[in-house]
Amino acid sequence: DVKVTQSSRYLVKRTGEKVFLECVQDMDHENMFWYRQDPGLGLRLIYFSYDVKMKEKGDIPEGYSVSREKKERFSLILESASTNQTSMYLCASGTRDTGEQYFGPGTRLTVT
Amino acid sequence: GENVEQHPSTLSVQEGDSAVIKCTYSDSASNYFPWYKQELGKGPQLIIDIRSNVGEKKDQRIAVTLNKTAKHFSLHITETQPEDSAVYFCGGGGANNLFFGTGTRLTVIP
């Protein structure tokens, strides 16, 4: 079974803090993704990576950055957290040629 | 880019009845259409998918149909059970990029 793990299930941070969300997959997938999930808006893509050190902006990259130093790990960074970044963050991984994506359990981030 | 719309946003059915959720997409180049089930407090789980060269796919009580001409696809759940209660998402796109519907909250009433 595909296993995608995220470093925290729940996180509370203060406005202005730097926040790191970590994602690890164990299936040697080339692609990794970060989404945020908000009520009524569904899943929106923040960034994705198709290879180590490679990244592409998604639909809502503003206020976020990413890092992929190893194939199995993809990190999402909030440089200076703001209250409008309170959300559920979902990481996914998948193979380059099939399109399938497998999700982690999510991190519910609250910024106060 | 692709735009995926999903209806209805909520759906309640009696246990044992069928449930149908529909999605439309805009980009004729999209060739991969997954469906995900998300239970409370969990990440989305891939339950079934279909590619553009196939019209229908079935897995036990779950089936998906695709109409490429009309650019719509549907999820069918037969003989619903209380454990089918969850939020269901459709997706559409290609190998490196998926766009998702806004979800359908399905409630199966015992």
Side-chain angles (χ1 to χ4, degrees), chain A residues 3-89:
Chain A
K3 186 94 172 165
V4 180
T5 57
Q6 296 184 228
S7 51
S8 305
R9 294 300 305 275
Y10 300 94
L11 212 51
V12 180
K13 295 293 181 181
R14 293 193 180 275
T15 301
E17 279 192 84
K18 191 168 187 175
V19 182
F20 293 87
L21 302 182
E22 302 281 333
C23 175
V24 178
Q25 52 98 1
D26 67 355
M27 286 302 294
D28 200 37
H29 285 160
E30 299 90 356
N31 292 347
M32 295 189 75
F33 307 83
W34 275 107
Y35 294 90
R36 64 177 280 177
Q37 182 177 34
D38 300 289
L41 298 177
L43 292 163
R44 293 181 292 167
L45 181 66
I46 304 171
Y47 269 97
F48 79 94
S49 169
Y50 52 90
D51 203 347
V52 174
K53 296 191 186 295
M54 307 303 290
K55 61 185 179 185
E56 292 283 342
K57 291 181 180 179
D59 299 319
I60 51 165
E62 297 80 18
Y64 304 93
S65 62
V66 290
S67 172
R68 193 164 180 204
E69 296 296 319
K70 294 184 178 181
K71 190 175 186 180
E72 68 271 18
R73 190 179 296 269
F74 192 35
S75 302
L76 179 70
I77 303 152
L78 287 66
E79 295 290 343
S80 178
S82 63
T83 54
N84 62 12
Q85 292 178 310
T86 292
S87 186
M88 170 71 88
Y89 289 88

Side-chain angles (χ1 to χ4, degrees), chain A residues 9 31 37 96 98 100-101, chain B residues 36 38 41 51 89 95-96:
Chain A
R9 294 300 305 275
N31 292 347
Q37 182 177 34
R96 184 172 296 157
T98 65
E100 295 169 10
Q101 292 187 24
Chain B
Y36 289 86
Q38 187 174 24
R51 299 188 187 274
F89 292 94
N96 289 332

Side-chain angles (χ1 to χ4, degrees), chain B residues 12-97:
Chain B
S12 292
V13 298
Q14 291 291 134
E15 182 178 356
D17 286 351
S18 295
V20 180
I21 302 170
K22 299 182 179 181
C23 287
T24 61
Y25 63 99
S26 60
D27 189 349
S28 56
S30 290
N31 57 16
Y32 176 64
F33 306 93
W35 285 91
Y36 289 86
K37 176 183 181 182
Q38 187 174 24
E39 296 175 277
L40 197 62
K42 297 183 178 180
Q45 178 189 6
L46 180 64
I47 56 172
I48 196 168
D49 56 17
I50 193 166
R51 299 188 187 274
S52 58
N53 58 349
V54 175
E56 183 173 359
K57 185 176 179 181
K58 192 172 182 180
D59 182 5
Q60 299 182 358
R61 296 186 298 108
I62 293 173
V64 57
T65 58
L66 171 65
N67 183 327
K68 284 195 299 182
T69 304
K71 295 197 187 73
H72 65 71
F73 56 111
S74 301
L75 176 71
H76 304 254
I77 306 173
T78 58
E79 299 171 21
T80 53
Q81 302 166 3
E83 51 266 38
D84 294 329
S85 294
V87 176
Y88 291 82
F89 292 94
C90 62
N96 289 332
N97 211 358

